[in-house]
Amino acid sequence: IRKIFLGSAPVLSGFLKKFITVLPLHTQVTCIYGMTEILPIATLDFRKKAVWEGQGDLLGSIIDKITHRIEKDGELILRGPNLFRGYLGQKEVQEIATGDLARVEKEQLVLIGRKKDMIIRGNYNIYPGLYESTIQKIAGVAACAMVGLRNEAKEDEDIILVIEPENPQDATLAKRVESSIKSGKYSIDTHAIPDKIVVIRIPRIGRQLKIDKRELLEILKKEYL
């Protein structure tokens, strides 16, 4: 195999680090960031993505002729020759508001998270995607999701970190994650430290098997809170 292209569902560094171990050195793997309305948007060699240690999800260089801007709230806006014409029954579009929060670092696009997933706790806006990508690098974590649940007693949001273990029999995972995110290589901002860590199998949705945060919230409300 000479070339592999990975796209559609998020391509996580944990998977890529395992993938490297079984691939010949000559195999070129390209990670693609895009969406139905404009595809592709950015590309990146998977070996660079696998070793990325910064905050957020490294997406790579934006494709030629695609122009972008980032709004004050961090949302990524795009236009280009591969932009769709519009949604059925609506006006033709000139650009697309992606719903993704991003930044540009050394001419590379970095995904911070989804705008709709933002959690407001106290005086802080917390973007789960900014921290989930770091937590997923902790040994034993197959996947994770950070969600906010309203706590009426506190009149504020509680942050719940949900961990899906690589080994369901790993009874120490929650404690290790709790320790890792407070100090050391995988530490996260103090204001984003979760109120509770739950270890379960995370629900998925769609052909890409993306994490279903809506269903996850319902599970947490019924069974864990």
Side-chain angles (χ1 to χ4, degrees):
I1 298 176
R2 292 182 297 170
K3 293 185 179 182
I4 297 174
F5 297 92
L6 299 175
S8 186
V11 185
L12 305 176
S13 60
F15 163 76
L16 293 177
K17 287 178 180 178
K18 295 177 182 177
F19 200 25
I20 286 175
T21 64
V22 298
L23 278 180
L25 290 176
H26 68 266
T27 301
Q28 178 185 346
V29 182
T30 301
C31 300
I32 302 171
Y33 166 62
M35 54 193 61
T36 304
E37 293 86 351
I38 181 168
L39 177 70
I41 297 168
T43 61
L44 179 68
D45 179 86
F46 90 124
R47 290 178 173 86
K48 292 181 180 179
K49 187 177 179 75
V51 300
W52 166 256
E53 295 292 347
Q55 286 193 323
D57 184 13
L58 184 63
L59 302 176
S61 302
I62 296 177
I63 300 294
D64 290 343
K65 297 184 180 180
I66 290 182
T67 59
H68 75 281
R69 74 174 192 274
I70 296 177
E71 297 282 51
K72 291 182 179 180
D73 64 358
E75 185 174 10
L76 179 65
I77 310 296
L78 298 167
R79 64 167 61 202
N82 55 341
L83 179 68
F84 78 137
R85 291 177 61 185
Y87 298 109
L88 183 65
Q90 298 183 21
K91 293 181 180 180
E92 187 168 328
V93 301
Q94 301 301 317
E95 59 185 17
I96 179 69
T98 63
D100 286 340
L101 301 170
R103 70 177 188 272
V104 176
E105 184 173 317
K106 297 180 180 179
E107 299 185 355
Q108 300 286 293
L109 193 62
V110 179
L111 180 67
I112 296 173
R114 290 289 292 169
K115 186 175 180 179
K116 67 180 181 180
D117 289 338
M118 185 182 73
I119 302 168
I120 301 175
R121 182 169 69 174
N123 296 320
Y124 294 99
N125 293 341
I126 298 166
Y127 303 106
L130 190 62
Y131 307 108
E132 290 166 344
S133 58
T134 297
I135 296 168
Q136 283 169 168
K137 296 174 184 177
I138 298 173
V141 176
C144 73
M146 186 179 282
V147 297
L149 282 178
R150 179 71 178 174
N151 186 321
E152 294 299 340
K154 294 179 2 183
E155 296 185 350
D156 202 354
E157 290 277 290
D158 277 345
I159 296 178
I160 313 300
L161 173 60
V162 183
I163 300 293
E164 182 173 299
E166 289 184 348
N167 176 11
Q169 307 304 318
D170 187 351
T172 65
L173 182 58
K175 287 292 184 183
R176 295 204 316 273
V177 169
E178 182 180 16
S179 176
S180 297
I181 62 178
K182 288 181 178 178
S183 64
K185 184 178 180 180
Y186 303 112
S187 61
I188 64 175
D189 295 331
T190 303
H191 61 259
I193 294 294
D195 297 281
K196 186 179 181 68
I197 297 177
V198 175
V199 180
I200 59 171
R201 184 175 179 83
I202 298 175
R204 303 300 207 279
I205 191 171
R207 289 181 299 172
Q208 295 89 12
L209 297 179
K210 293 182 179 181
I211 290 175
D212 187 349
K213 287 196 173 181
R214 181 177 297 179
E215 177 63 22
L216 181 58
L217 282 170
E218 292 304 313
I219 292 173
L220 292 173
K221 289 176 184 177
K222 292 177 182 178
E223 299 184 25
Y224 293 92
L225 298 177

